[in-house]
Amino acid sequence: MTGNTFDVLERSIPRDVSDNARYGANFELVSDYALTRSPEYGAHIARIEPYGDWAARNGRARTDLSVDRVITTITGELWTVQNKGYSADRRVDLNDFNNFIIASATMPNVTRRLLVTSGPGLGRNAAEVAKHQGVAVNVTVLNRARLRTATTYPTTWGAFVAESGNDPEGVEPFRLRPHQLDAIHDVTSSLRSVPECQLISTCGTGKTITSVGIADSLGVNTLVYFVPGLGVVPREVVNG
């Protein structure tokens, strides 16, 4: 029944007829769901995150460079993911295929590249290039047929959101904002070349949460806050 459940869920993904961006963002969540629950990939995945979040933690520009997701495996390897939320008959063209390979090559220690599409797969030219790819490139295409058999899916968008806990159209607590991601990038870049720096920002801009992102990016085990009272520290930080 897995194939049937994917088709039913895919038809329920919210979309705008005049703009594919909404469908594309929602399809990325379905791709995450499939990968983490797939018998082939799920057991290997320690973390799957948007490229921008990974880039900020690693002192890189957070602009999406044809990589949508970064997977960190349980053995510490990096896999890149490009998602293509396409119609059932649209194929991935050579330009998109090449851009994914090039973007992945700019990242360190990438051992696998997954191109996930709700279409039938690669176009003729892209497929011809893929046939001759070297072992170092290692692009795996997960098309609609493979997504159908990856797992069993919820059959409505509401049920999917409830089970996965992800809703790009809802409120996500403590989702880092663009200015916080920029701050993490700037501070971590500076601290890799100088011994100290200051982040100056006004009250209410999320400096505490930003500092956690900076510490995570730098691999810091201990983070010390100096505050007049615990009331000014977010509850999640106190409890976490």
Side-chain angles (χ1 to χ4, degrees), residues 102-136:
I102 293 168
S104 297
T106 68
M107 300 170 59
N109 305 318
V110 174
T111 60
R112 194 162 198 172
R113 298 152 182 83
L114 303 175
L115 200 164
V116 183
T117 174
S118 51
L122 301 178
R124 183 177 61 183
N125 292 337
E128 186 64 26
V129 170
K131 282 197 307 184
H132 302 288
Q133 65 180 347
V135 175

Side-chain angles (χ1 to χ4, degrees), residues 32 62 64 108 128 140 144 163 209 217 240:
D32 293 347
R62 59 184 179 84
D64 177 2
E128 186 64 26
T140 301
R144 177 175 287 258
E163 181 175 331
I209 299 301
S217 177

Side-chain angles (χ1 to χ4, degrees), residues 29-93:
L29 300 180
V30 176
S31 171
D32 293 347
Y33 185 95
L35 291 172
T36 55
R37 289 161 174 77
S38 162
E40 184 174 1
Y41 300 108
H44 300 285
I45 296 174
R47 173 189 288 184
I48 183 168
E49 59 188 325
Y51 172 82
D53 290 0
W54 175 88
R57 291 191 300 101
N58 287 274
R60 297 167 65 98
R62 59 184 179 84
T63 305
D64 177 2
L65 300 176
S66 297
V67 172
D68 297 313
R69 294 290 196 268
V70 180
I71 291 172
T72 304
T73 70
I74 59 175
T75 58
E77 297 176 359
L78 289 185
W79 298 354
T80 54
V81 181
Q82 185 182 62
N83 293 304
K84 292 297 181 185
Y86 284 168
S87 60
D89 59 351
R90 180 179 174 183
R91 294 182 177 273
V92 179
D93 63 29

Side-chain angles (χ1 to χ4, degrees), residues 3 5 30 57 59 126 128 142 167 188 199 208 234:
T5 58
V30 176
R57 291 191 300 101
E128 186 64 26
L142 282 75
D167 183 6
T188 53
L199 170 63
T208 303

Side-chain angles (χ1 to χ4, degrees), residues 167-194:
D167 183 6
E169 301 175 348
V171 176
E172 296 184 32
F174 296 110
R175 181 78 172 179
L176 290 172
R177 298 177 179 177
H179 72 274
Q180 293 168 331
L181 291 170
D182 288 339
I184 293 170
H185 171 261
D186 292 343
V187 171
T188 53
S189 296
S190 296
L191 289 177
R192 287 190 172 97
S193 57
V194 297

